[in-house]
Amino acid sequence: MNQALTTALGPTTSRSYRCVCGKPLSLRNSHCLNCNRSLGYDPVMRTMVAIEPATEEGAQDGDWKVVGVDDKAIVHRCGNLTTASACNWLIPGGTLSERQVASNLLPGFCLSCSLTRTVPDLSGPVNQELFRRLEIAKRRLVSQLLALALPVETRLERLNGIAFDMLENLPGGPQVLTGHDEGLITLNIAEADDAQREKIRAEMHESYRTLLGHFRHEIGHYYWDRLVKDTTWHLPYRELFGDESVDYGESLKRHYENGPPSDWPLHYVTSYATTHPWEDWAETWAHYLHMADTVDTAVSFGIDANSVEIDSDPFTLDDLWQPDHPNAEAFLAFINSWVLLTQVLNELTRSMGQHDYYPFVLPREAVAKLQFIHEVVRSASDPQVPVTDLPKTTSADTVTDTSPATVDGTPLPESPASDVPQIPQQPDSADGPAPSSAEPAPAAAAT
């Protein structure tokens, strides 16, 4: 097999970032060590950019401009830049003459941080490090959702928009379970402990368990509610994945008591996908995001499949959900690119004495489900920028919102006397108020 790598949705945002000085960057960078410029991720441009303080007439402290962009737009740095989150994302601010405040964002926070509803106790270095790892994974997820042009809506603009509770198990309190409930995604920060996560992976006989995998799995539940439920996609979903009205609790109990069916590798992407049609969707969705981001990254860095020769039995149109679909050929090229790429990556990790980079074998039934998810994503892609309702003010105005900030109608606590805004923190005992409006679903596995 000898072919060029093919991305899932054609040209999207490049994962190969460079500073204006030409040096390569990563998504996490906030400072270029080569030219000493400040850096940030711009969620509107969907890429890493170099920034410099705005110096024109009307500029205020905290106003920045993107280097090399010939317009009057200004941006602001996220209030979490210097906190444990170390967020390098930028906030759109309009222009010096017409300042704008995005009503879908928490004041002083970027889009990614505005999605975080509750944080754990960050007074100690251990939780700070675990929280930092969680936020890095979340930002990777959100940047991919933006690149795919999927709707990313906070709870300031949509009642059941995306929200994250990052919680820890507390003495005398209930166990924190990773799960999803109507847009609210709860994650146990213990999953950010590599040793703890590996222990759970081994105990649950999983071949793969990562923070990013958890985020991608749980966001899959959100997008099922958002894009499939009660839409024209619902019936074909049931034909492929099964009837989700089957009792979820009983299905979960049966899975943990009896394990997956012995023939699951012939039908599902993971063993956990056998639990219930909802979990089959979430596991397959997460898998799709894994594949799309990895192939996009490989293409962004110029990796050429034509330079390698591997004998492989490629998937054919007969393996697809809709072989006659106008986009079937393009999707098939993407799937076969993925197979080729992972074979090479597995050999590379084996050369380093590591576990396989991709410890899965895609069954043909899973390929059909992946094509279905691919078409759902394509149909939902919205090229609009992730900022809404931008009231304009002149440069002479003071941008002040005197109304109390709220999440789900509940006022946020007033910020302390600090330049850094605050996100509500998890109560430090079981006697505090419940951080979640509903009990989260049981933990997902194998993502």
Side-chain angles (χ1 to χ4, degrees), residues 234-366:
H234 206 150
L235 181 58
Y237 159 81
R238 286 185 169 180
E239 293 172 349
L240 276 172
F241 294 86
D243 185 355
E244 81 288 348
S245 67
V246 173
D247 188 276
Y248 180 82
E250 287 298 318
S251 297
L252 198 68
K253 179 181 177 183
R254 182 171 58 253
H255 173 78
Y256 284 118
E257 288 181 351
N258 304 325
S262 59
D263 64 346
W264 74 261
L266 301 177
H267 310 284
Y268 299 90
V269 70
T270 67
S271 62
Y272 189 69
T274 68
T275 304
H276 186 274
W278 278 336
E279 298 304 339
D280 191 9
W281 162 272
E283 288 287 87
T284 311
W285 172 279
H287 216 84
Y288 177 81
L289 294 189
H290 290 329
M291 296 163 62
D293 198 19
T294 304
V295 173
D296 282 351
T297 301
V299 171
S300 297
F301 281 90
I303 295 177
D304 184 6
N306 282 311
S307 62
V308 298
E309 287 284 352
I310 292 181
D311 291 330
S312 177
D313 293 326
F315 292 108
T316 68
L317 288 172
D318 292 337
D319 299 316
L320 302 187
W321 163 57
Q322 287 189 349
D324 297 328
H325 194 283
N327 299 310
E329 291 279 3
F331 176 77
L332 186 64
F334 162 64
I335 282 289
N336 285 325
S337 288
W338 172 249
V339 173
L340 181 65
L341 179 62
T342 54
Q343 287 178 314
V344 175
L345 290 173
N346 281 348
E347 289 301 327
L348 289 173
T349 53
R350 292 166 191 167
S351 297
M352 290 293 294
Q354 298 292 324
H355 297 297
D356 281 359
Y357 167 89
Y358 183 70
F360 303 96
V361 176
L362 278 179
R364 299 187 186 280
E365 287 187 31

Side-chain angles (χ1 to χ4, degrees), residues 63-210:
D63 291 342
W64 296 77
K65 300 194 70 175
V66 176
V67 177
V69 175
D70 188 20
D71 63 25
K72 298 180 180 179
I74 58 172
V75 294
H76 300 114
R77 308 202 78 168
C78 180
N80 272 334
L81 175 65
T82 57
T83 69
S85 174
C87 179
N88 67 339
W89 282 36
L90 304 176
I91 307 168
T95 66
L96 292 177
S97 59
E98 293 186 336
R99 293 178 176 274
Q100 297 176 328
V101 179
S103 63
N104 64 324
L105 306 181
L106 293 175
F109 289 110
C110 71
L111 175 62
S112 179
C113 290
S114 292
L115 299 174
T116 299
R117 193 181 79 155
T118 311
V119 302
D121 177 8
L122 298 177
S123 60
V126 174
N127 276 10
Q128 289 178 9
E129 174 60 21
L130 297 181
F131 181 64
R132 185 188 70 85
R133 295 176 186 177
L134 283 165
E135 285 292 319
I136 287 173
K138 176 165 70 71
R139 290 194 290 270
R140 182 80 189 194
L141 166 74
V142 178
S143 69
Q144 183 186 16
L145 299 178
L146 295 177
L148 293 174
L150 287 169
V152 180
E153 297 162 308
T154 71
R155 294 201 162 190
L156 295 176
E157 60 185 318
R158 185 180 181 85
L159 180 62
N160 292 329
I162 303 170
F164 294 91
D165 279 353
M166 316 285 199
L167 309 178
E168 63 178 328
N169 291 325
L170 296 172
Q175 180 182 3
V176 176
L177 300 176
T178 295
H180 168 268
D181 182 20
E182 296 188 353
L184 175 61
I185 294 172
T186 303
L187 290 109
N188 190 329
I189 68 167
E191 286 285 349
D193 184 319
D194 294 341
Q196 177 70 9
R197 189 176 62 255
E198 175 61 19
K199 180 174 180 291
I200 296 173
R201 187 199 66 79
E203 290 174 348
M204 299 187 71
H205 306 289
E206 298 169 356
S207 55
Y208 178 89
R209 190 180 185 94
T210 67

